[in-house]
């Protein structure tokens, strides 16, 4: 009813069904791992959620944009291969930015403001809009430069 192809809607549901084993609210795998290892179940769930958070946005790429279904290896007739390549690149860059922001690490440890910028850039890259994608890619490039500059300044040069 929302204009999403049947296979994309089914994949959307299947994707979240698979992720429910490691993320909230079910999180059966982290609970099992915590009970086997004797760890704190709540800390284990938070860590598993932190690792799966970037993956939770992937299904939105192939349902929010008609060309996004190319991520499911079925390019729509109206989309060019250049458009499909751009969507795939933006999705990968967005997931990488989200993962860096959530994990607090890119090229080096991230400060709080760097984390929020990376998360915002990642969300802009995942949302299928050329304007948001451009802003997100520019922000990610700036953050890479900023992190690389900080890494170079912090590393002593051995002669």
């Amino acid at each position: 009813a929302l204009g999403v192809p049947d296979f994309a809607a089914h994949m959307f549901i299947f994707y979240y069904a698979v992720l429910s084993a490691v993320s909230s609210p079910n999180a059966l795998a982290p609970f099992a791992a915590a009970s086997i290892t004797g760890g704190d179940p709540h800390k284990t769930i938070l860590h598993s959620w932190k690792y799966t958070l970037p993956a939770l946005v992937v299904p939105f790429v192939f349902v929010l944009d008609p060309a996004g279904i190319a991520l499911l290896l079925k390019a729509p007739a109206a989309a060019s291969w250049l458009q499909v390549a751009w969507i795939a690149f933006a999705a990968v860059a967005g997931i990488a930015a989200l993962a860096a922001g959530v994990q607090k690490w890119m090229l080096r440890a991230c400060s709080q403001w760097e984390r929020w910028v990376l998360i915002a850039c990642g969300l802009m890259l995942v949302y299928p809009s050329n304007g948001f994608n451009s802003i997100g890619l520019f922000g990610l490039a700036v953050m890479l430069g900023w992190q690389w500059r900080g890494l170079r300044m912090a590393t002593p040069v051995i002669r």
Side-chain angles (χ1 to χ4, degrees):
L2 295 175
V4 177
D6 288 342
F7 67 92
H10 287 97
M11 189 61 183
F12 187 90
I13 294 166
F14 176 71
Y15 199 96
Y16 278 104
V18 170
L19 283 178
S20 71
V22 291
S23 62
S24 296
N26 297 342
L28 296 176
F31 271 122
S35 68
I36 291 170
T37 61
D40 182 11
H42 299 292
K43 287 182 182 179
T44 307
I45 287 174
L46 286 176
H47 280 290
S48 71
W49 181 78
K50 184 170 62 171
Y51 290 121
T52 58
L53 178 65
L56 291 172
V57 298
V58 171
F60 289 101
V61 176
F62 56 81
V63 296
L64 288 178
D65 186 17
I69 62 171
L71 290 179
L72 299 175
L73 302 179
K74 184 168 178 139
S80 69
W81 283 105
L82 183 62
Q83 186 180 11
V84 169
W86 173 253
I87 289 171
F89 171 74
V92 168
I95 297 303
L98 278 171
V102 172
Q103 295 297 320
K104 305 177 194 173
W105 189 271
M106 193 172 184
L107 299 175
R108 59 174 172 79
C110 295
S111 65
Q112 193 68 22
W113 72 269
E114 290 172 327
R115 289 183 63 209
W116 288 112
V117 170
L118 284 169
I119 290 170
C121 289
L123 291 174
M124 282 190 249
L125 281 164
V126 170
Y127 186 75
S129 163
N130 288 336
F132 281 135
N133 287 167
S134 300
I135 294 168
L137 195 59
F138 177 74
L140 182 59
V142 167
M143 289 307 299
L144 273 168
W146 179 263
Q147 287 258 318
W148 184 76
R149 180 180 172 272
L151 188 66
R152 294 277 311 219
M153 292 180 71
T155 306
V157 177
I158 301 173
R159 296 180 194 236

